[in-house]
Amino acid sequence: MGVIQKASVRLTLFSYAGAALGYFNKILLFTNFLTLQQVGLINVLNNISVLYAQVATLGISTVSLRFFPYFNDKQKQHHGFFFWCNVVITIGFLLATILFIFLKPLFIQHYSASSPLLVDFYYYNIPFALGLLYFQFLESYLRALLKTGVATFAYELVGRVLVTIIIGLYALKLIDFHLFVILYVLGNGLIALILLAYTAYLKQLFLKPVKSVKFGRFLKIIIVYGIFTIMSALGGTVLVNIDSLMVAAKLNLGQAGIYTTVFLIAMVMTLPFRSIQKIAHPIIARYWKERDMKGMRDLYEKASLVDMILGGLLFLGLWCNIDCIFRFMPKDYYTAKYTFLFLALAKYIDMATGLNGYIIVTSKKYRSDLWFMLFLIVATVLMNLVLIPMYGILGAALATLCSIALYNFLRLIFVQYYYKMQPFTINCLWVLIITVAVWVIVSQIPYLHNKYVDIVVRSTVIMVLYGGAILYFKLSKDVNDLIYNYTKIRFFAPEK
């Protein structure tokens, strides 16, 4: 975990700084200066564009991480790897755009009554998706080169500063909502351009075709792998976004605005998880290449334990302060308190199960993940169809919780059966026990009149009780080692 620890700490710091800006934008500015329908529009446009871009990648993002180690040779321009990947995603975007235009009548049929504003801005998804597509491609290419810092900085900080500026202009009535949406969409293209410039700065921007016998050797397996992984990755994107799209269709954009806002709050829990994933994915691919199963098993266990520790801390911080968080927003959002709880539990389960998905998709049995995903897409859609009409956005959150739990359970069983690995140790159980115990204790603290003081008091108690227990019992060598390296306090030193 040494390389991962150092890199993921840097990425997590960027991510938390971005999260702070994201909270400022989404919790304070969006909810107080935009209507529920406008919040829903922006967030659902983002979800649609993510799906659109995922289709257009044709699996290249995952292919880059899986196969780049076999082409990695800067002197030979990586055997034309960048150029041919760029050709594929360009073709993918053209095909996806044709499909997107063709599907507009069906979209109007489902959304014109419940969310007409979404229909009015339908074509804004095209430039939105284009910016996301090239950001994803360049970010995965840089991850394959183990250059992750600038991409995270651009996405988490630069992108959110741009949003702050844009919503500020709208709040000051210097621009109207139409121009606000245009600038919001174009911001994604600017982030992609930053990554393009950084790639050129690294002298890794190889735009000319290169003949290489390696492509002849790997072409068939790359194509097969790409077909399966695009379906699997698309399925994962559908699972993350389908609930908000169905809320907009079955209820309205206002309810979608509330749902997507609390969903984004829950996503803060995944920041350390995402940082570890970004570093671990290419390393897992290298473990497969070197057939280092022991290294992969150690990484699997350590990553899961660290994710549970950090996920538990963030879950406690958010859930125990959720009433105060809602006091920063209009009263309409408070109805989603238990919607947030279900979504937060879903994120915690996803984090606790570690790197199982990456182990599968980078292995020879990568096709299996597709079948898991197809089953879960059907199950998720069916659960949303049943639960949204019955319970509204709470039903959508419950469907998300059930689908995430089922999906990760199946993948855990798969990895255990075929590769004799599972991520949980006895220390994971102790982390879970400590998390529940601290939750019970903090819930007994009476609510204070001042929301700022209330948040500080609860957060301090959580840090002292939870953080103190984790560090005192030395449940994770990596966590204690990290704290010790920064504080040099011998009490935190991990056991040798």
Side-chain angles (χ1 to χ4, degrees):
M1 286 281 286
V3 175
I4 294 180
Q5 184 187 87
K6 292 178 182 179
S8 61
V9 167
R10 183 176 63 252
L11 297 186
T12 300
L13 290 175
F14 288 155
S15 297
Y16 279 131
L21 275 173
Y23 260 101
F24 181 70
N25 292 336
K26 297 290 185 178
I27 307 305
L28 294 179
L29 300 184
F30 271 49
T31 59
N32 288 289
F33 291 105
L34 299 179
T35 66
L36 287 176
Q37 290 74 23
Q38 290 172 335
V39 172
L41 172 70
I42 295 298
N43 292 338
V44 175
L45 276 179
N46 185 78
N47 292 344
I48 294 172
S49 297
V50 167
L51 285 169
Y52 186 158
Q54 190 66 64
V55 173
T57 61
L58 297 181
I60 283 300
S61 295
T62 310
V63 166
S64 296
L65 293 167
R66 175 67 178 85
F67 290 100
F68 184 79
Y70 297 95
F71 294 85
N72 189 1
D73 188 339
K74 187 176 180 181
Q75 297 299 320
K76 297 182 179 179
Q77 299 185 17
H78 306 309
H79 302 273
F81 193 86
F82 183 90
F83 172 81
W84 292 112
C85 287
N86 188 49
V87 169
V88 170
I89 64 167
T90 301
I91 294 172
F93 180 73
L94 293 175
L95 294 175
T97 301
I98 293 171
L99 177 63
F100 185 75
I101 294 171
F102 178 77
L103 290 175
K104 185 179 181 181
L106 184 63
F107 188 88
I108 292 173
Q109 179 183 339
H110 283 86
Y111 289 93
S112 59
S114 60
S115 305
L117 194 62
L118 199 56
V119 176
D120 294 339
F121 285 88
Y122 184 78
Y123 286 116
Y124 284 67
N125 285 287
I126 296 178
F128 203 160
L130 181 63
L132 287 173
L133 170 65
Y134 275 92
F135 170 80
Q136 290 174 6
F137 165 56
L138 290 166
E139 191 259 354
S140 65
Y141 180 63
L142 290 170
R143 282 169 64 188
L145 293 167
L146 301 181
K147 300 290 185 179
T148 55
V150 170
T152 302
F153 177 80
Y155 180 78
E156 300 289 353
L157 289 176
V158 176
R160 285 176 175 144
V161 167
L162 288 174
V163 173
T164 304
I165 294 171
I166 295 167
I167 188 64
L169 293 174
Y170 179 76
L172 295 172
K173 301 186 186 304
L174 298 176
I175 59 175
D176 60 13
F177 183 68
H178 186 264
L179 182 55
F180 168 81
V181 176
I182 292 174
L183 294 175
Y184 186 88
V185 169
L186 292 178
N188 287 277
L190 179 59
I191 297 172
L193 289 175
I194 291 173
L195 295 197
L196 186 67
Y198 179 60
T199 306
Y201 168 78
L202 294 174
K203 295 182 171 53
Q204 299 281 0
L205 189 63
F206 303 119
L207 299 176
K208 296 180 180 180
V210 176
K211 290 184 179 181
S212 173
V213 294
K214 285 205 170 189
F215 271 101
R217 188 188 315 163
F218 285 96
L219 183 59
K220 182 178 179 180
I221 190 172
I222 287 176
I223 291 174
V224 174
Y225 182 83
I227 291 172
F228 276 86
T229 54
I230 184 178
M231 295 301 296
S232 181
L234 179 59
T237 306
V238 168
L239 284 173
V240 172
N241 295 285
I242 192 64
D243 45 3
S244 60
L245 297 179
M246 294 186 72
V247 167
K250 295 294 181 182
L251 301 176
N252 53 63
L253 265 184
Q255 289 297 299
I258 295 173
Y259 182 82
T260 52
T261 298
V262 296
F263 186 93
L264 290 170
I265 296 174
M267 283 294 290
V268 173
M269 288 178 56
T270 67
L271 293 179
F273 180 51
R274 285 157 49 196
S275 298
I276 291 174
Q277 282 183 320
K278 287 179 181 179
I279 307 299
H281 193 168
I283 292 177
I284 290 173
R286 292 186 181 185
Y287 280 150
W288 280 119
K289 179 186 175 183
E290 298 165 2
R291 300 185 180 181
D292 184 359
M293 301 304 294
K294 183 182 183 301
M296 192 182 305
R297 182 179 295 105
D298 290 343
L299 176 59
Y300 192 25
E301 292 179 355
K302 291 179 179 179
S304 181
L305 180 59
V306 171
D307 283 332
M308 284 190 68
I309 290 172
L310 297 177
L313 177 63
L314 291 170
F315 172 79
L316 291 169
L318 289 170
W319 176 242
C320 294
N321 288 299
I322 194 63
D323 290 298
C324 287
I325 292 173
F326 279 126
R327 285 160 69 182
F328 287 96
M329 297 182 281
K331 293 182 179 179
D332 291 329
Y333 289 88
Y334 189 79
T335 59
K337 177 179 178 179
Y338 289 99
T339 299
F340 166 79
L341 176 60
F342 286 161
L343 292 172
L345 289 173
K347 298 304 175 189
Y348 185 76
I349 291 172
D350 204 28
M351 295 177 69
T353 50
L355 305 171
N356 52 26
Y358 289 112
I359 291 173
I360 296 173
V361 299
T362 53
S363 73
K364 292 181 179 179
K365 296 186 181 295
Y366 58 85
R367 296 174 179 86
S368 301
D369 203 50
L370 170 61
W371 304 116
F372 293 151
M373 192 64 69
L374 291 176
F375 168 76
L376 284 171
I377 290 172
V378 174
T380 301
V381 171
L382 291 177
M383 283 190 286
N384 274 291
L385 286 173
V386 172
L387 295 173
I388 289 176
M390 292 175 62
Y391 304 110
I393 60 174
L394 184 65
L398 181 58
T400 297
L401 174 59
C402 293
S403 64
I404 292 295
L406 179 60
Y407 178 47
N408 281 290
F409 175 75
L410 292 174
R411 295 200 297 187
L412 278 172
I413 296 299
F414 184 90
V415 173
Q416 170 63 33
Y417 180 79
Y418 282 103
Y419 303 119
K420 311 305 177 189
M421 289 187 290
Q422 61 87 21
F424 302 121
T425 63
I426 188 62
N427 285 354
C428 293
L429 178 60
W430 283 114
V431 170
L432 187 60
I433 291 172
I434 291 170
T435 303
V436 174
V438 174
W439 182 1
V440 172
I441 294 170
V442 176
S443 65
Q444 304 306 310
I445 300 175
Y447 287 102
L448 305 177
H449 180 70
N450 187 299
K451 59 190 175 185
Y452 298 100
V453 175
D454 193 278
I455 289 176
V456 170
V457 169
R458 291 177 190 278
S459 300
T460 301
V461 173
I462 291 168
M463 287 294 296
V464 171
L465 294 180
Y466 183 84
I470 296 295
L471 294 172
Y472 177 77
F473 292 110
K474 296 178 170 43
L475 297 180
S476 170
K477 181 181 182 301
D478 293 290
V479 171
N480 276 75
D481 189 48
L482 177 64
I483 300 298
Y484 175 72
N485 287 339
Y486 278 91
T487 64
K488 299 303 179 183
I489 299 175
R490 295 187 63 83
F491 175 79
F492 297 136
E495 295 179 356
K496 296 182 180 179

